[in-house]
Amino acid sequence: MRALRDFRLGEWLVRPSLDRMECSGSSVHLRPKLMDVLVYLAEHAGDVVPKDEIIAAVWQQKYLAESVLTRSIAELRRALGDRLEAPRYIETITKRGYRLLAAVARLDAPRRAATGGRGALVVSYAGRRIALAEGESMIGRAPDATVRIDSMSVSRAHARIVVSNGHVHLEDLGSKNGTLVDGIAVQGSADLTDGARIKIGSALLVLHVIGLAGSTETDRTGATDAEVQGPSSDAG
């Protein structure tokens, strides 16, 4: 249910795909469920959201102790530097639910990658080609990942490809099973070029620069069905 695009919440930059918030040069890591609660409130900013609605959306359970949500809201307030008595971010509406007070600003959608005149970028995976845009493209198991890989060997936010001013690199996001580029484990980040073979868990992806002479765009990834798993029918 989570949107992976970053947004601003008051003075904070919220980065759902990384379960992180940033403000004035410092960052705060949130547990995934806390981030899910915050994102859900942000999607209904200014509205009173009933407690049972939040529980159903985030925990996907009809019957869950309300104290679980109460503790989560208290933890979110601590992370945001908010106060129950004089809230700036999350207001408790007695016997009803919670309301997000701070302004939410969605960041603009990234522009399509120009790649410095080198052509458009795509990633081939499991018979599909996914276009990459200028900025960050997330790879992982999360429903809203740019390149979604429905495999338990892949973390929800496993890695990301960053396109900036014609330069392309890949960053591993602390994934459990690691990331390889052309057979070499990624420690932090690695530059990508046309034809780069990216191993994400058990899945194999190939980067192509379309429109570049000699591009590998027509090459097969060479991965067998056992090596990769495509998105499930309920992907997205």
Side-chain angles (χ1 to χ4, degrees):
M1 49 81 65
R2 182 194 303 193
L4 292 183
R5 186 164 296 160
D6 298 350
F7 62 92
R8 292 198 176 277
L9 175 64
E11 59 191 2
W12 291 91
L13 171 62
V14 182
R15 312 194 69 182
S17 63
L18 302 180
D19 290 319
R20 191 169 73 202
M21 302 189 304
E22 301 172 357
C23 179
S24 302
S26 62
S27 65
V28 176
H29 181 80
L30 299 180
R31 293 187 292 105
K33 288 299 183 187
L34 287 187
M35 180 58 77
D36 288 344
V37 171
L38 183 59
V39 168
Y40 195 77
L41 289 174
E43 290 173 348
H44 301 80
D47 297 333
V48 178
V49 185
K51 296 178 181 180
D52 57 354
E53 180 180 324
I54 300 172
I55 290 172
V58 173
W59 282 272
Q60 298 182 354
Q61 296 181 30
K62 187 174 182 180
Y63 301 105
L64 184 76
E66 190 176 292
S67 59
V68 174
L69 175 59
T70 302
R71 289 194 298 269
S72 296
I73 293 293
E75 193 172 341
L76 270 177
R77 284 195 174 111
R78 287 194 296 272
L80 290 163
D82 203 13
R83 296 173 55 199
L84 174 63
E85 303 80 8
R88 294 185 301 126
Y89 288 94
I90 302 174
E91 180 184 18
T92 297
I93 307 299
T94 305
K95 296 183 179 181
R96 292 185 61 192
Y98 299 99
R99 183 166 73 104
L100 198 64
L101 299 175
V104 174
R106 306 290 177 183
L107 300 187
D108 292 337
R111 295 175 289 108
R112 184 175 179 80
T115 65
R118 295 163 50 201
L121 291 171
V122 298
V123 163
S124 62
Y125 163 64
R128 297 182 299 138
R129 296 199 305 177
I130 301 104
L132 302 180
E134 184 82 11
E136 300 178 1
S137 295
M138 193 63 54
I139 304 171
R141 207 173 71 247
D144 291 337
T146 305
V147 182
R148 188 188 179 205
I149 304 174
D150 190 12
S151 168
M152 293 307 296
S153 68
V154 175
S155 301
R156 293 178 66 199
H158 194 108
R160 63 182 173 188
I161 295 176
V162 181
V163 181
S164 179
N165 298 321
H167 179 74
V168 187
H169 72 273
L170 179 141
E171 300 174 0
D172 181 85
L173 300 175
S175 62
K176 180 178 179 181
N177 293 319
T179 304
L180 286 78
V181 172
D182 294 330
I184 300 174
V186 175
Q187 302 294 333
S189 66
D191 290 337
L192 297 179
T193 57
D194 183 44
R197 296 167 69 85
I198 306 165
K199 194 76 176 297
I200 302 289
S202 62
L204 180 63
L205 294 68
V206 179
L207 178 75
H208 307 287
V209 183
I210 307 300
L212 180 68
S215 170
T216 61
E217 65 171 302
T218 58
D219 291 350
R220 294 177 59 84
T221 64
T224 66
D225 291 340
E227 290 178 306
V228 297
Q229 300 180 36
S232 61
S233 58
D234 62 349

